[in-house]
Amino acid sequence: MGESAMDKMKGKAKEAVGKVTGDRRAESEGKTDQAKGDAKDAADQLRERVKGVGDSMKRDDR
């Protein structure tokens, strides 16, 4: 399991605990952790796309 997936899972759990206990701070931290996981996913996807573009520009089969 990747780091971003762990952030999302941890965030969902924290948010759920916050909702059940009425702890708004924990709920907010959970949402933040989930957003951090989403941002890591987006960064990984962008990195892969840039790598793909770079690889395609290196090929000399044009």
Side-chain angles (χ1 to χ4, degrees):
M1 181 176 277
E3 189 177 337
S4 63
M6 289 295 289
D7 284 335
K8 289 180 191 179
M9 190 168 57
K10 179 177 76 169
K12 285 182 189 247
K14 221 184 247 190
E15 181 183 4
V17 168
K19 282 183 180 180
V20 169
T21 61
D23 184 348
R24 289 182 179 218
R25 182 178 177 142
E27 189 176 343
S28 178
E29 286 175 2
K31 289 179 181 180
T32 300
D33 288 343
Q34 290 176 66
K36 185 168 52 169
D38 289 338
K40 286 180 184 178
D41 279 343
D44 288 342
Q45 289 174 2
L46 179 61
R47 197 173 301 114
E48 287 298 316
R49 285 184 181 161
V50 168
K51 182 181 179 295
V53 169
D55 289 347
S56 69
M57 292 178 79
K58 286 180 185 176
R59 281 190 274 158
D60 203 25
D61 58 281
R62 292 181 232 165

